[in-house]
């Protein structure tokens, strides 16, 4: 028996079918009619018959009203929406399909979620938006939610509806701009996109910005995913809370996952990489961007799915296994994070809801001239929220220990790489991007607040002050900054033939003028071994022996210099070829003594470094460093002392570097105390591929003042080499 409920107008149905109804649930689903029963409506385009089947087995054939909308009025006392299914027949010989109805379910987002999203303060945004498998009203399915405030309508398309979203319009939840739909019986593994009608009336299919998993490129759909991973790194995380990165050893191995050993999955990488890094003694690995990106041959800096580790090597739980395995081996994990810009791919973030949603509408602010990409609108609270929550996601959900933030300089300056007339000044008439500065302060403060013991590291290539100063003191709030000045000056110096280095001595010593202006990481990164720059080995002048000696001397000097160390994969064995994503590393060269010798040196550098707190406990304190002689330009040498924090009781270390091609056989160097000093490192040792010239393991300092120190020793300083000395106490 049917109730007397008034039918929905044809105009409203036409709006619904056109995909431009903001509240399809007000039309579709079950609607109780007080005192009469309820009305059930379903949108099933192309269906020939639809029947509502109740839990008690009763069947209620539905009548087609208009444009694929079916309806039935059921008499009775219906105080709530009953449990029912839809039995749908199409023009085929197949039996009818039994389906649950998405439109009988209440919204899956609460008022608090919507309020926080509207305010731009939802620090765990991935728990509200995206595709979230869950059980609702006893029914397993997936809740889909997407921010598209300017859309006329949003439909869900996927392999579960033959990529036809006409029967799956989403509802708009108030003023937050969020569209939502719970779809029963859709679970992990289902592929999907959002079909979005923009203000211009055009439909665009978009991948989910909050997707936890994406298809393997070049496919572009998002994939429903639910983690079932059980972590085993509780001890590591507990120790991390108490750790002070600034006064701890930090030697970083930078890795491009796809080319370290091509063909390995996340889980295979976990075993092999953890063993390799442990053997060489690095404290951390740093992965080039892991978030999904379209072009595998790139570094990964044009991200299309910020919440999805790339599916090229496995699923997100496989990536969790990689992080977990490294943690259990005592190795920290840093990931490159790219909030500065994103690509223009039409299926991703660009003009997401038909408007400049994530990017700034003004091309002077929203277009990046160097990379052909788009710049986030850092002044929009929801965009800031998307990025801040993303940083928190990598740290909390994936247990990452630090984020290296890419291209910070491009964010800080409105005129970055722009000519006059191509940029717009800030409200004060200046070139500083005030909104980006505020965003960086917010993301750093939020991450350090939520996840103690982590690191936020800036790749910032200018002289901007206060990059690693706390936010409450007016700084950007990073924990570390890459020392690009040290990198550029040092590489320019070592590229010179030794005969000319005496005229550029200030380039190798200049870093100590500003060494304590920031908390520095010394990088010899991926940027220095691509695009025709050649390998680290082939930057060195001279014959083969001198080139390898130059690499060894550079590393010996670098590990002793104040600041943390980072080298790109392949540099640890002085690979000769420039990096190639296709070919991977030239592991085969390790059969040759020069290459394996450099690898042995790096292993010993890391081992000795970790054993000597004088090399890391006062990296950011001027008391941790003292020149012995910075002025020997004619001899191409420099020498300095490193002092450990008092609580470590670490012995002082003397580093003496000879960047000339000639040995100094009676080189007197000032030292802080007399007695026997042990040669703990000599980059010219035969085991490293050197000639073996040195001091036979020890030198004897006498109470003869030199270089302003109370004692001194006459030492043998081999060509193109660095030695480290510590007192025998």
């Amino acid at each position: 028996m049917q109730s007397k409920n008034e039918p929905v107008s044809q105009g409203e149905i036409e709006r619904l079918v056109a995909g431009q109804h903001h509240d399809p649930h007000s039309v579709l689903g079950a609607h109780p009619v007080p005192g009469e029963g309820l009305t059930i409506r379903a949108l099933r385009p192309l269906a020939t018959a639809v029947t509502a089947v109740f839990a008690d087995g009763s069947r209620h054939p539905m009548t087609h009203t208009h444009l694929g909308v079916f309806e039935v009025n059921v008499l009775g006392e219906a105080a709530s929406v009953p449990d029912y299914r839809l039995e749908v027949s199409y023009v085929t010989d197949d039996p009818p399909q039994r389906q649950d109805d998405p439109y009988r379910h209440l919204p899956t987002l609460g008022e608090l979620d919507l309020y926080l999203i509207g305010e731009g303060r939802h620090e765990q945004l991935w728990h509200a938006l995206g595709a979230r498998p869950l059980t609702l009203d006893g029914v397993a399915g997936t809740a889909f939610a997407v921010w598209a405030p300017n859309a006329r309508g949003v439909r869900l398309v996927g392999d579960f509806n033959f990529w036809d979203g006409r029967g799956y319009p989403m509802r708009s939840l108030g003023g937050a701009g969020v569209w939502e739909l719970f779809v029963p019986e859709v679970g992990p593994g289902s592929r999907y996109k959002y079909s979005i009608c923009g203000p211009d009336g055009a439909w665009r299919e978009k991948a989910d910005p909050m997707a936890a998993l994406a298809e393997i490129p070049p496919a572009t759909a998002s994939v429903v995913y639910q983690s079932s991973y059980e972590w085993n790194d509780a001890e590591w995380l507990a120790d991390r809370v108490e750790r002070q990165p600034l006064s701890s050893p930090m030697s970083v191995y930078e890795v491009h996952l796809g080319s370290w050993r091509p063909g390995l999955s996340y889980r295979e990488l976990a075993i092999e990489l953890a063993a390799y890094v442990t053997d060489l003694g690095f404290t951390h690995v740093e992965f080039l961007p892991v978030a999904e990106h379209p072009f595998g041959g790139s570094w990964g800096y044009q991200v299309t799915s910020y919440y999805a580790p790339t599916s090229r090597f496995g699923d997100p739980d496989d990536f969790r296994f990689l992080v977990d395995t490294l943690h259990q081996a005592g190795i920290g994990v840093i990931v490159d994070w790219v909030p500065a810009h994103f690509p223009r791919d039409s299926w991703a973030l660009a003009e997401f809801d038909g408007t400049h949603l994530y990017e700034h509408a003004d091309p002077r602010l929203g277009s990046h001239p160097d990379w052909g990409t788009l710049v986030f609108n850092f002044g929009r609270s929801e965009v800031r929220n998307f990025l801040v929550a993303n940083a928190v996601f990598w740290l909390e959900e994936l247990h990452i220990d630090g984020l290296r933030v890419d291209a910070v300089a491009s964010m800080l300056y409105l005129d970055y790489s722009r000519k006059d007339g191509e940029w717009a000044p800030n409200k004060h008439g200046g070139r500083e991007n005030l909104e980006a500065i505020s965003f960086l302060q917010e993301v750093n403060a939020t991450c350090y607040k939520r996840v103690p013991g982590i690191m936020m590291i800036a790749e910032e290539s200018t002289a901007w002050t206060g990059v690693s100063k706390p936010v409450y003191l007016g700084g950007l709030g990073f924990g570390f900054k890459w020392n690009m000045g040290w990198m550029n000056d040092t590489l320019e110096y070592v590229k010179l033939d030794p005969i000319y280095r005496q005229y550029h001595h200030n380039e190798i010593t200049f870093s100590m003028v500003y060494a304590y202006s920031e908390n520095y990481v010394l990088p010899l990164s991926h940027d220095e071994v691509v695009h025709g720059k050649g390998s680290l080995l082939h930057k060195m002048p001279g014959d083969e022996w001198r080139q390898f000696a130059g690499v060894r001397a550079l590393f010996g000097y670098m590990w002793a210099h104040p600041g943390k160390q980072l080298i790109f994969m392949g540099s640890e064995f002085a690979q000769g070829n420039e990096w190639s994503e296709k070919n991977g590393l030239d592991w085969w060269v390790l059969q040759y003594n020069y290459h394996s010798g450099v690898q042995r040196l790096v292993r010993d550098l890391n081992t000795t470094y970790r054993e000597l707190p004088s090399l890391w406990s006062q990296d950011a304190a001027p008391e941790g460093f003292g020149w012995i002689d910075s002025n020997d330009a004619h001899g191409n040498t420099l020498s300095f002392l490193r002092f450990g924090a008092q609580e470590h009781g670490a012995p002082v270390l003397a580093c003496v570097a000879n960047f000339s091609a000639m040995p100094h056989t009676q080189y007197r160097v000032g030292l802080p105390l007399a007695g026997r000093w042990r040669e703990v490192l000599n980059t010219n040792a035969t085991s490293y591929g050197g000639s073996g010239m040195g001091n036979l393991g020890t030198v004897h300092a006498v109470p003869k003042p030199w270089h302003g120190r109370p004692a001194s020793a006459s030492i043998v300083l081999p060509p193109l080499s660095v030695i480290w000395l510590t007192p025998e106490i």
Side-chain angles (χ1 to χ4, degrees):
M1 299 179 65
Q2 295 189 345
S3 74
K4 299 177 182 179
N5 182 39
E6 292 296 326
V8 176
S9 70
Q10 286 194 0
E12 191 164 9
I13 289 178
E14 287 169 358
R15 221 163 25 100
L16 173 73
V17 173
Q20 298 184 13
H21 198 299
H22 277 62
D23 189 12
H25 291 68
S26 66
V27 177
L28 304 176
H31 301 274
V33 181
E36 297 186 19
L38 76 157
T39 297
I40 300 175
R41 298 187 193 91
L43 175 59
R44 288 296 183 271
L46 306 180
T48 57
V50 181
T51 300
V53 182
F54 283 21
D56 61 6
S58 61
R59 300 172 60 84
H60 304 272
M62 304 176 73
T63 301
H64 181 257
T65 60
H66 187 52
L67 296 177
V69 173
F70 292 78
E71 178 180 305
V72 64
N73 299 318
V74 182
L75 289 177
E77 293 297 329
S80 61
V81 176
D83 185 2
Y84 68 91
R85 300 293 184 272
L86 298 175
E87 194 172 87
V88 185
S89 298
Y90 294 94
V91 188
T92 65
D93 294 330
D94 296 333
Q97 300 176 10
R98 183 71 64 91
Q99 305 168 348
D100 200 344
D101 185 4
Y103 299 93
R104 71 183 184 91
H105 296 282
L106 294 173
T108 57
L109 273 73
E111 291 299 322
L112 179 59
D113 283 320
L114 295 174
Y115 172 78
L116 292 174
I117 292 170
E119 291 291 307
R121 296 293 177 186
H122 204 307
E123 294 175 0
Q124 291 185 309
L125 191 62
W126 64 95
H127 288 318
L129 301 182
R132 295 166 294 125
L134 52 83
T135 298
L136 189 63
D137 303 325
V139 176
T142 298
F144 296 90
V146 62
W147 178 61
N150 303 302
R152 288 187 183 179
V154 181
R155 292 166 168 166
L156 182 67
V157 299
D159 53 13
F160 45 84
N161 62 11
F162 304 101
W163 301 96
D164 184 346
R166 288 177 295 172
Y168 290 78
M170 302 178 74
R171 64 177 148 202
S172 175
L173 298 178
V178 174
W179 299 75
E180 181 267 356
L181 184 66
F182 174 75
V183 184
E185 301 165 359
V186 168
S190 298
R191 297 176 298 136
Y192 70 99
K193 282 187 178 181
Y194 299 114
S195 184
I196 301 175
C197 182
D200 58 358
W203 288 89
R204 301 165 177 84
E205 287 196 359
K206 294 286 189 175
D208 188 351
M210 302 294 299
L213 177 63
E215 281 190 292
I216 299 175
T220 59
S222 303
V223 182
V224 178
Y225 188 78
Q226 186 170 37
S227 173
S228 60
Y229 191 79
E230 295 183 6
W231 291 91
N232 295 288
D233 61 350
E235 182 178 353
W236 171 270
L237 296 184
D239 290 343
R240 187 178 72 182
V241 172
E242 305 299 326
R243 194 174 300 130
Q244 298 294 326
L246 196 58
S247 56
S248 301
M250 183 174 162
S251 175
V252 184
Y253 185 59
E254 190 186 31
V255 176
H256 179 258
L257 286 171
S259 59
W260 185 71
R261 290 189 186 275
L264 296 186
S265 67
Y266 283 131
R267 290 182 178 265
E268 292 166 336
L269 277 162
I271 305 305
E272 296 195 24
L273 185 60
Y276 184 74
V277 173
T278 299
D279 176 57
L280 289 190
F282 288 97
T283 65
H284 293 74
V285 296
E286 180 173 316
F287 295 138
L288 272 63
V290 178
E292 194 60 85
H293 50 280
F295 179 44
S298 71
W299 291 123
Y301 287 98
Q302 296 202 7
V303 176
T304 46
S305 291
Y306 275 79
Y307 287 79
T310 180
S311 56
R312 291 173 174 85
F313 317 115
D315 64 32
D317 278 358
D318 295 329
F319 178 72
R320 287 178 171 90
F321 180 83
L322 169 60
V323 176
D324 200 354
T325 302
L326 289 164
H327 282 173
Q328 292 178 64
I331 300 162
V333 181
I334 303 167
V335 166
D336 272 14
W337 187 55
V338 193
H341 62 119
F342 60 94
R344 296 175 180 268
D345 299 78
S346 61
W347 49 269
L349 293 179
E351 296 186 11
F352 185 76
D353 64 355
T355 69
H356 298 287
L357 187 63
Y358 286 91
E359 67 272 27
H360 208 290
D362 187 339
R364 296 175 299 172
L365 300 170
S367 180
H368 203 294
D370 281 355
W371 304 312
T373 51
L374 299 172
V375 179
F376 283 103
N377 184 352
F378 300 112
R380 184 160 195 166
S381 59
E382 298 95 337
V383 174
R384 289 161 64 118
N385 192 176
F386 172 79
L387 292 169
V388 171
N390 183 245
V392 174
F393 169 81
W394 285 92
L395 299 172
E396 288 189 351
E397 286 290 315
L398 301 178
H399 291 202
I400 299 303
D401 301 294
L403 298 177
R404 178 266 195 186
V405 183
D406 180 62
V408 171
S410 75
M411 302 168 68
L412 295 175
Y413 299 98
L414 293 167
D415 62 346
Y416 185 90
S417 287
R418 292 178 172 87
K419 301 175 183 177
D420 290 343
E422 295 178 349
W423 62 282
N426 62 34
K427 61 184 179 181
H428 304 300
R431 59 196 284 256
E432 300 82 11
N433 189 332
L434 303 179
E435 295 169 342
I437 294 167
S438 176
F439 160 70
L440 290 169
Q441 292 174 324
E442 180 182 350
V443 71
N444 286 326
T446 302
C447 289
Y448 277 113
K449 173 192 71 175
R450 294 188 63 99
V451 197
I454 56 91
M455 297 175 288
M456 300 295 288
I457 305 166
E459 188 234 357
E460 201 284 313
S461 56
T462 73
W464 187 280
T465 59
V467 172
S468 57
K469 181 188 291 185
V471 171
Y472 67 86
L473 294 177
L476 294 182
F478 286 94
F480 292 95
K481 171 182 172 174
W482 271 23
N483 195 337
M484 311 294 279
W486 173 89
M487 179 190 72
N488 290 323
D489 288 346
T490 300
L491 290 180
E492 287 303 312
Y493 177 83
V494 298
K495 288 177 185 177
L496 296 169
D497 189 280
I499 196 171
Y500 300 116
R501 289 176 180 172
Q502 60 183 310
Y503 306 111
H504 297 265
H505 193 70
N506 62 310
E507 292 181 17
I508 198 69
T509 60
F510 181 65
S511 61
M512 290 311 303
V513 172
Y514 60 88
Y516 303 106
S517 61
E518 302 280 0
N519 304 328
Y520 281 119
V521 173
L522 310 179
L524 292 175
S525 73
H526 62 279
D527 276 329
E528 304 313 307
V529 295
V530 291
H531 308 315
K533 294 181 181 179
S535 65
L536 197 59
L537 177 67
H538 288 159
K539 294 182 193 301
M540 303 295 168
D543 59 19
E544 184 180 54
W545 191 93
R546 290 189 179 190
Q547 287 182 325
F548 279 94
V551 171
R552 297 193 303 266
L554 172 59
F555 286 166
Y557 160 71
M558 175 183 180
W559 257 253
H561 191 286
K564 313 306 181 183
Q565 297 81 36
L566 176 145
I567 63 171
F568 183 59
M569 63 182 198
S571 299
E572 79 277 12
F573 56 80
Q575 173 170 309
N577 289 322
E578 187 175 88
W579 174 82
S580 164
E581 183 274 337
K582 180 180 180 181
N583 298 329
L585 299 185
D586 293 340
W587 295 103
W588 57 272
V589 302
L590 284 169
Q591 64 185 303
Y592 301 111
N593 186 53
Y594 280 161
H595 292 282
S596 61
V598 173
Q599 187 187 60
R600 284 188 289 271
L601 170 66
V602 170
R603 182 185 295 112
D604 289 353
L605 281 169
N606 280 329
T607 300
T608 307
Y609 167 76
R610 295 174 78 162
E611 291 173 349
L612 292 175
S614 52
L615 288 173
W616 42 261
S617 61
Q618 294 199 104
D619 267 330
E623 310 85 80
F625 178 90
W627 280 115
I628 297 173
D629 185 7
S630 63
N631 298 315
D632 186 11
H634 182 72
N636 288 353
T637 68
L638 54 90
S639 51
F640 54 85
L641 300 171
R642 294 297 308 277
F643 302 95
Q646 187 173 1
E647 60 267 25
H648 290 287
V652 63
L653 179 135
C655 174
V656 188
N658 178 14
F659 288 107
S660 76
M662 301 297 293
H664 301 303
T665 55
Q666 293 182 328
Y667 190 83
R668 183 160 293 276
V669 60
L671 294 170
L673 66 156
R676 287 169 59 88
W677 286 65
R678 187 163 59 94
E679 189 180 69
V680 295
L681 183 87
N682 181 349
T683 64
N684 189 52
T686 55
S687 60
Y688 306 145
S691 68
M693 175 184 287
N695 297 278
L696 301 178
T698 60
V699 301
H700 187 74
V702 297
K704 179 179 181 179
W706 205 263
H707 291 141
R709 302 291 174 178
S712 61
S714 178
I715 65 174
V716 174
L717 197 54
L720 297 172
S721 64
V722 171
I723 65 171
W724 293 357
L725 303 169
T726 59
E728 289 188 353
I729 300 175

